[in-house]
Amino acid sequence: MNLFMEALAWLGDPAHWSGGGGIPTRILQHLAITAAAVGIAGAIALPAGILIGHTRRGAGLIGALSGAARAIPTLGLLTLFGLAFGIGLKASLVALVVLAVPSILAGSYAGIQAVDAATVSAAKAVGMRPSQVIFGVELPLASPVVIGGIRAATLQVVATATLAAYIADFGLGRYLFSGLKSRDYAQMLAGALLVAALALALELAFAAAQRYAASRHAAPARSAGLFRSDRTDTRPAQKGPTS
Amino acid sequence: MIEFESVSKTYPGGTVAVREFSLQVPSHRTVVLVGSSGSGKSTLLQMVNRMAEPTGGRVLIDGDDVAGRDAVALRRSIGYVLQHGGLLPHRTVLDNIATVPVLNRTPRRRARIQAAELLERVGLDESLGTRYPSQLSGGQQQRVGVARALAADPNILLMDEPFGAVDPIVRRELQAELARIQADLGKTIVFVTHDVDEALRLGDEVVVLRRHGVIAQRGTPAQILAAPADDFVRDFIGADRDERRLTVERIDGRDIAVDGTGRPIGVLDS
Ligand SMILES: Nc1ncnc2c1ncn2[C@@H]1O[C@H](COP(=O)(O)OP(=O)(O)OP(=O)(O)O)[C@@H](O)[C@H]1O
Ligand SMILES: [Mg+2]
């Protein structure tokens, strides 16, 4: 409790809220590396997962890859990349990308392949091209699950990005490592609280996004239950990707 | 005109769905394929719009082998009512109906206005247009499926048990409506059902199928009722059923039609 009060006091100290090593800067750094890692991982894993889900071919690959990747200890990976690329941000970023890929891959694959085959077949039967089936039918219907994968990846990355400070002066992890070194446990706890708060904020944002996607795209009966004329009547022109 | 030239379909698992099926569907006519479950009716329809590829023989539309046509363009040029509706669950009723026109680059506004008109044509209230398919009954969904098939004004309509999920009364209404639409628009229709009464009511020609799409008999409804080719057809159309065996009795100077149970069902016009 005492330590907790000290941590709060540390957080309340205006001196810690300004300058290059201040809390706002560190939070922005932390968010930046998280966004970069998830963005790069998404650029790799989303197309791959969607394609595998769409063709229903190569599903074994997903299982093997995500299983193997989840077993890799991130700290070990970070050390390895640190040795390979040298000390710095690049090694952390690559390690975080490797961490984020499996969840996004699994989410996009699972979401797409769970779309009712009869719906997909009907879309083809009325004359949609494969790309129109993917972007106009499969992806909208899968979006809650796809977003779920990105959400899981983001949480893993935002928590693990503290390790970036292990080989680079970057992000909220800095408070943990420097606190550890100088036995400033209040600072360590304050850093941990900041990471937890950040993770929580992201979690809430993603939950809202997922709910929105589900209400807008997946069978509305599941979320709305009943016909709600107030909502559906005023819906603006649908901006489907097939337009 | 749609021609099936000794078309066969064996599915990858080895299931024979259709064996050596030949039929000509004349333009502007309604041909009804009727047969029990698993006789290959849906497979026959799907070979017209290339949702299934024949493993033998050819399907021709106006003399051109469909195998040589671009599958996407072919499907957009054919109205297809799927057996189980096949609506897109994430799009409103209006957007579902407008699917093909929008794919063909009709402005969305106009496509929606046309969709609303079609909704009325299939006997649905315009207020249903903003609902999602899951908010409709099975029969309403099927009618939306019919409206969607009509939306791009195709020459050919493939209808796979389009009224299977509606109650008998609405079914009769829809059959009448389809007959009206057909009288107006003169589409080439291949209609699949396992309801013999529906087949006799709608078909210019009726094709009775056995297993593997083997034709047991084809002819006008009158020909089939007048002379069932064999016991299978006789059984299938229920030629011996009481309600098909009509006799005439003269009562109070009028000719009354009476069915096999003795129940009077109508008066003959003189
Ligand atoms: N995609 C498929 N793969 C393998 N077998 C199939 C496939 N589709 C249909 N079949 C088989 O082909 C046969 C004909 O099926 P089809 O769906 O054409 O029958 P149907 O006359 O439409 O029946 P129903 O009246 O029940 O709709 C059946 O034995 C069915 O099991
Ligand atoms: Mg069928």
Side-chain angles (χ1 to χ4, degrees):
Chain A
M1 206 57 223
N2 211 1
L3 184 60
F4 187 68
M5 298 311 287
E6 279 175 45
L8 285 186
W10 190 93
L11 281 174
D13 185 345
H16 296 142
W17 285 88
S18 60
I23 292 168
T25 315
R26 293 261 177 236
I27 287 180
L28 281 181
Q29 287 174 341
H30 206 93
L31 278 175
I33 195 167
T34 301
V38 173
I40 295 169
I44 299 165
L46 280 175
I50 290 166
L51 211 65
I52 294 171
H54 176 74
T55 59
R56 288 157 206 259
R57 245 176 260 153
L61 188 80
I62 299 258
L65 207 71
S66 44
R70 276 178 184 147
I72 300 173
T74 308
L75 193 58
L77 207 62
L78 196 60
T79 314
L80 196 71
F81 288 139
L83 292 173
F85 301 130
I87 300 297
L89 219 48
K90 194 163 152 199
S92 318
L93 190 60
V94 175
L96 291 173
V97 168
V98 172
L99 181 71
V101 161
S103 298
I104 299 179
L105 195 61
S108 50
Y109 161 74
I112 298 280
Q113 71 86 43
V115 174
D116 186 3
T119 300
V120 174
S121 159
K124 263 187 236 162
V126 299
M128 287 195 177
R129 299 180 190 292
S131 63
Q132 291 167 329
V133 172
I134 293 177
F135 292 107
V137 180
E138 290 179 319
L139 212 46
L141 288 172
S143 57
V145 183
V146 175
I147 294 173
I150 299 172
R151 173 182 177 177
T154 306
L155 283 185
Q156 280 171 297
V157 169
V158 82
T160 313
T162 42
L163 289 180
Y166 174 59
I167 53 172
D169 178 13
F170 205 79
L172 291 168
R174 198 69 206 154
Y175 296 135
L176 294 166
F177 285 107
S178 75
L180 186 65
K181 208 149 88 212
S182 59
R183 294 172 189 261
D184 180 354
Y185 298 124
Q187 184 189 346
M188 269 187 90
L189 184 56
L193 286 174
L194 285 170
V195 174
L198 199 58
L200 196 66
L202 287 172
E203 178 73 0
L204 288 175
F206 269 106
Q210 233 172 330
R211 256 200 316 279
Y212 174 72
S215 72
R216 190 175 183 287
H217 285 306
R222 216 182 306 148
S223 55
L226 286 167
F227 174 46
R228 295 187 306 185
S229 60
D230 53 324
R231 186 177 67 90
T232 36
D233 275 342
T234 54
R235 268 161 56 95
Q238 189 157 352
K239 1 185 216 317
T242 51
S243 58
Chain B
M1 183 163 72
I2 306 169
E3 291 165 273
F4 294 87
E5 279 186 2
S6 37
V7 173
S8 299
K9 175 69 184 181
T10 307
Y11 281 104
T15 313
V16 177
V18 174
R19 187 176 284 152
E20 299 273 320
F21 179 88
S22 294
L23 180 74
Q24 294 192 353
V25 180
S27 298
H28 315 301
R29 286 282 176 278
T30 305
V31 170
V32 179
L33 307 178
V34 59
S36 41
S37 191
S39 54
K41 306 180 297 293
S42 295
T43 303
L44 282 167
L45 285 192
Q46 286 163 1
M47 289 192 287
V48 177
N49 68 2
R50 294 193 59 193
M51 284 305 285
E53 300 288 346
T55 46
R58 305 190 297 169
V59 178
L60 311 171
I61 292 179
D62 295 333
D64 291 331
D65 189 344
V66 293
R69 299 269 305 269
D70 172 56
V72 168
L74 176 74
R75 288 169 194 156
R76 288 184 194 175
S77 73
I78 294 176
Y80 181 33
V81 186
L82 286 88
Q83 188 165 358
H84 301 290
L87 302 178
L88 302 179
H90 60 301
R91 296 200 180 166
T92 61
V93 165
L94 282 187
D95 285 331
N96 263 287
I97 297 173
T99 303
V100 181
V102 168
L103 288 175
N104 286 335
R105 308 196 169 282
T106 303
R108 197 175 284 271
R109 269 188 84 83
R110 209 167 80 219
R112 282 225 181 94
I113 292 168
Q114 286 164 357
E117 288 163 9
L118 281 164
L119 208 52
E120 212 171 320
R121 251 230 107 155
V122 297
L124 290 177
D125 197 88
E126 224 179 291
S127 68
L128 298 188
T130 50
R131 291 202 195 178
Y132 288 90
S134 60
Q135 295 161 334
L136 302 182
S137 73
Q140 289 171 331
Q141 289 183 29
Q142 284 195 323
R143 283 186 261 176
V144 174
V146 173
R148 176 175 67 180
L150 289 169
D153 195 20
N155 290 324
I156 294 176
L157 278 179
L158 307 175
M159 310 185 80
D160 198 344
E161 306 197 21
F163 310 138
V166 296
D167 64 78
I169 294 169
V170 175
R171 205 176 163 115
R172 290 292 282 266
E173 280 170 18
L174 290 176
Q175 289 163 353
E177 182 59 35
L178 181 64
R180 257 195 307 278
I181 291 174
Q182 176 62 352
D184 278 6
L185 306 176
K187 309 280 187 198
T188 305
I189 301 181
V190 188
F191 190 105
V192 160
T193 181
H194 54 239
D195 176 348
V196 175
D197 294 315
E198 184 166 75
L200 296 175
R201 204 168 291 136
L202 289 177
D204 294 312
E205 184 171 9
V206 174
V207 179
V208 184
L209 299 176
R210 297 178 208 279
R211 282 187 62 210
H212 305 321
V214 173
I215 297 180
Q217 186 174 6
R218 47 176 292 196
T220 62
Q223 285 168 341
I224 288 180
L225 275 178
D230 55 19
D231 286 348
F232 175 82
V233 178
R234 187 188 308 279
D235 249 23
F236 197 84
I237 63 171
D240 302 326
R241 275 199 334 244
D242 284 338
E243 62 263 36
R244 289 244 194 275
R245 296 194 355 255
L246 307 182
T247 51
V248 176
E249 282 177 24
R250 203 161 173 87
I251 298 169
D252 287 346
R254 310 272 326 248
D255 287 329
I256 304 291
V258 177
D259 74 10
T261 65
R263 182 171 290 279
I265 58 164
V267 183
L268 296 195
D269 274 340
S270 38

